[in-house]
Amino acid sequence: MWLDLSHMDKKEYLLMAEELVFGHQNPDTDAIVAAIAFAHLQQQRGYDTEAVALGEVNEETAYALDHFNHQAPRVITRASVEVKKVMLVDHNEPQQSVSDIADVKVTHVIDHHRIMGFDTSEPLYYRAEPVGCTSTILWELYNEENVTIPADIAGLMLSAIISDTLLFKSPTTTPLDQQAVKSLAKIANVDYETYGLEMLKAGTDLSSKSEQELIDLDAKSFDMSGHSVRVAQINTVDLDDVLARQTALKTAIQAEISEQHYDLFVLIITNILNSDSEAVVLGSDQGKAAFEKAFNKQLVNDRANLPGVVSRKKQVVPQLTEAY
Amino acid sequence: MWLDLSHMDKKEYLLMAEELVFGHQNPDTDAIVAAIAFAHLQQQRGYDTEAVALGEVNEETAYALDHFNHQAPRVITRASVEVKKVMLVDHNEPQQSVSDIADVKVTHVIDHHRIMGFDTSEPLYYRAEPVGCTSTILWELYNEENVTIPADIAGLMLSAIISDTLLFKSPTTTPLDQQAVKSLAKIANVDYETYGLEMLKAGTDLSSKSEQELIDLDAKSFDMSGHSVRVAQINTVDLDDVLARQTALKTAIQAEISEQHYDLFVLIITNILNSDSEAVVLGSDQGKAAFEKAFNKQLVNDRANLPGVVSRKKQVVPQLTEAY
């Protein structure tokens, strides 16, 4: 492979890290923070790493970065133009990763999701645990390696755990996540409950966003028995606020389905205060039937209420995968 | 799923563990030992586990078990008739696992191989490191969890590491493998160099084995771009001894190719004293061409010498995968 570096000056070229570290597309707080925290840990262990992102940070993440006075990672769209090796955090499925993931070697993965379609030709370092957040695993790694967590990174890590677990309300929460937040709060010197709710609320200011942006804010694609399924989630403190925009949301979803050929698009709108969700579901008849089977619910006007459902990973994706 | 327990008496039923722990088919010393060591570790952590095996132990493993006075795990051919959940050690690829792996849930994987075709519907505990042996990772886990390694299990673990690294001669060997063996040797109270060579030699007594048994002793199947490839390895201290049986070995390989529809069968005969190998290669024209491309060697009478090649994982499988 030939590297086109003509767009860089010599100083930039010399500053290039050997390995990039990044989370999934449409990054949430954990995808951004886990990249920052793992890149830092690996630097202490002698690796030449840089944390980058596969998209701009969302408002919740921006709030956390601002609060702990840390820069957002730069955004990349391709990795192989810069490096030969990468480290993945908070994801492993190729369709959630950088577009040219097939052209680079993955040397490390730190993740807390199912494993799907992730194939390598050589052994690698892979650390996954069924906990609420990648940053919880990173907290363990820092402790195992006896590496000090800087106060700003500790603040970001607890932000990621609070974000992924909705302040411990999500069923994905484990005792380890809670233990990590309490330990990190001491390092970051923050009242995690007060701060956490403020951060979550900062992420629910949706008024400035277009419908197109809303359905792409926290969306992931999944391959289910050969069908392409998109599951998006919006957090809010006022469900009616979002549902008032239902018609325009459906138009935006329908446009994405046509463009990306999704078999099914599920938009989960979650009230973070009472942990209930409303689903807007569009797609093929087969896809909608899979949804109805998965949740044992009839769709009415392409909608279904999902009381107590807050976790895409634990309460939506396995059920849909099973139904397909 | 309905469990047919009619073949068991009540006592057996009550003794059944909740989760089975096992290594790959055609188990080598690491596959057997890692199951024993991980099942024990998990018991200390509160899991109800039993180590089992997907085949009878080989002569090297029998030597180690006998030396450290530990029973061989019982052999199973199916898991779902006994349990709903399993833990995999020393492998992840489905075709190397128990025949009904699709019918059980994998909750833990401890491995040091590439990841291929391993898909789950839910998050799990996955720990892989690019080190020489699964038992090295288990040694780390025991240390991280502050669990004491019993002397007999320590002896078995160092046996597995010596087996996988050919007493540190394989290029898969890492400093961590050497560190683990030295630490385990103290616990097991054994001179690992003297013992290790004796153990390796015990595994090379091939005279009692049929050709059919020899090509199945340490053999694994791989999917390479849709082609089924079998790579078997025989360790010896006398290459000529094995090559004297070449004609009968080829007949046995050809029979397996016809029966299992392999595109390629590569038998690696490794001299463990000087770390050189001889390959016997049969299969389709395309398969043989892939081999020749992978090693930049012409096959002469279906054979090629591979100086310095001792590791299937590092020096054979990636090269063949790339060529396909």
Side-chain angles (χ1 to χ4, degrees), chain A residues 89-108:
Chain A
V89 292
D90 199 30
H91 75 297
N92 67 82
E93 304 190 35
Q95 76 278 12
Q96 297 170 5
S97 197
V98 73
S99 58
D100 60 347
I101 188 69
D103 301 328
V104 288
K105 179 177 170 176
V106 179
T107 65
H108 293 69

Side-chain angles (χ1 to χ4, degrees), chain A residues 112-130 144 313 318 321, chain B residues 112-130 144 313 318 321:
Chain A
H112 67 127
H113 296 89
R114 71 170 188 179
I115 300 177
M116 187 69 81
F118 181 81
D119 292 336
T120 68
S121 63
E122 282 176 71
L124 75 162
Y125 185 101
Y126 199 111
R127 174 91 171 233
E129 294 181 30
E144 286 168 16
K313 186 170 71 169
T321 304
Chain B
H112 67 129
H113 295 89
R114 71 170 188 178
I115 299 176
M116 188 68 81
F118 181 81
D119 292 335
T120 68
S121 63
E122 281 176 70
L124 74 162
Y125 186 101
Y126 200 111
R127 175 90 171 233
E129 294 181 30
E144 285 168 17
K313 186 169 70 169
T321 304

Side-chain angles (χ1 to χ4, degrees), chain B:
Chain B
M1 197 194 58
W2 187 79
L3 287 181
D4 177 11
L5 302 174
S6 54
H7 59 290
M8 302 181 112
D9 64 26
K10 196 177 168 198
K11 194 173 147 210
E12 280 180 309
Y13 175 76
L14 290 172
L15 286 172
M16 267 171 58
E18 197 187 343
E19 290 199 57
L20 295 179
V21 185
F22 48 84
H24 51 78
Q25 293 172 22
N26 301 319
D28 58 5
T29 301
D30 192 31
I32 298 290
V33 166
I36 292 171
F38 191 49
H40 179 80
L41 174 64
Q42 293 296 74
Q43 283 160 17
Q44 310 314 305
R45 300 178 66 204
Y47 290 88
D48 181 16
T49 55
E50 181 192 354
V52 293
L54 302 188
E56 299 295 339
V57 300
N58 66 31
E59 304 206 0
E60 179 194 274
T61 312
Y63 181 91
L65 288 166
D66 184 59
H67 191 276
F68 293 105
N69 199 21
H70 199 290
Q71 255 198 321
R74 74 183 164 94
V75 175
I76 64 159
T77 52
R78 291 204 294 158
S80 65
V81 291
E82 297 186 46
V83 293
K84 289 178 177 163
K85 297 187 287 184
V86 302
M87 304 181 185
L88 308 185
V89 292
D90 198 30
H91 75 297
N92 68 83
E93 304 190 36
Q95 76 279 12
Q96 297 170 6
S97 197
V98 74
S99 57
D100 59 348
I101 188 69
D103 302 328
V104 289
K105 180 176 169 176
V106 179
T107 65
H108 293 69
V109 178
I110 315 289
D111 193 18
H112 67 129
H113 295 89
R114 71 170 188 178
I115 299 176
M116 188 68 81
F118 181 81
D119 292 335
T120 68
S121 63
E122 281 176 70
L124 74 162
Y125 186 101
Y126 200 111
R127 175 90 171 233
E129 294 181 30
V131 293
C133 182
T134 308
S135 292
T136 301
I137 305 169
L138 288 168
W139 171 75
E140 289 185 279
L141 285 176
Y142 270 94
N143 291 343
E144 285 168 17
E145 303 283 336
N146 275 315
V147 175
T148 306
I149 308 178
D152 57 343
I153 293 182
L156 293 177
M157 288 167 78
L158 73 85
S159 303
I161 303 172
I162 288 167
S163 166
D164 267 13
T165 64
L166 290 177
L167 245 177
F168 310 149
K169 278 186 188 155
S170 165
T172 55
T173 312
T174 68
L176 212 59
D177 299 306
Q178 306 200 24
Q179 204 185 326
V181 164
K182 283 163 194 169
S183 156
L184 291 162
K186 281 182 199 148
I187 303 171
N189 193 23
V190 69
D191 174 346
Y192 72 85
E193 283 177 311
T194 311
Y195 163 77
L197 200 59
E198 284 310 307
M199 182 200 73
L200 287 175
K201 278 189 187 158
T204 66
D205 179 15
L206 310 172
S207 52
S208 66
K209 301 237 177 291
S210 71
E211 284 74 19
Q212 165 89 55
E213 286 171 324
L214 284 179
I215 63 165
D216 204 44
L217 203 57
D218 176 16
K220 289 182 184 177
S221 299
F222 300 89
D223 177 88
M224 298 186 184
S225 304
H227 301 278
S228 179
V229 176
R230 184 86 164 168
V231 185
Q233 188 166 20
I234 298 175
N235 287 340
T236 180
V237 288
D238 188 346
L239 215 55
D240 291 336
D241 241 25
V242 184
L243 289 173
R245 300 168 71 176
Q246 184 178 185
T247 310
L249 282 168
K250 279 194 196 175
T251 306
I253 291 172
Q254 204 57 65
E256 271 224 16
I257 289 176
S258 303
E259 202 176 305
Q260 304 290 336
H261 307 292
Y262 296 125
D263 189 56
L264 182 67
F265 194 117
V266 178
L267 171 65
I268 310 281
I269 307 161
T270 300
N271 183 333
I272 60 166
L273 298 181
N274 70 6
S275 304
D276 285 340
S277 289
E278 191 76 20
V280 178
V281 182
L282 293 172
S284 75
D285 288 346
Q286 191 199 359
K288 288 199 225 174
F291 178 92
E292 292 185 332
K293 190 175 156 204
F295 296 97
N296 196 23
K297 291 251 174 188
Q298 290 293 116
L299 289 168
V300 179
N301 287 329
D302 308 318
R303 271 177 50 187
N305 70 319
L306 302 174
V309 169
V310 298
S311 166
R312 168 171 49 202
K313 186 169 70 169
K314 205 151 185 155
Q315 298 173 297
V316 180
V317 172
Q319 289 74 4
L320 282 175
T321 304
E322 180 72 22
Y324 266 100

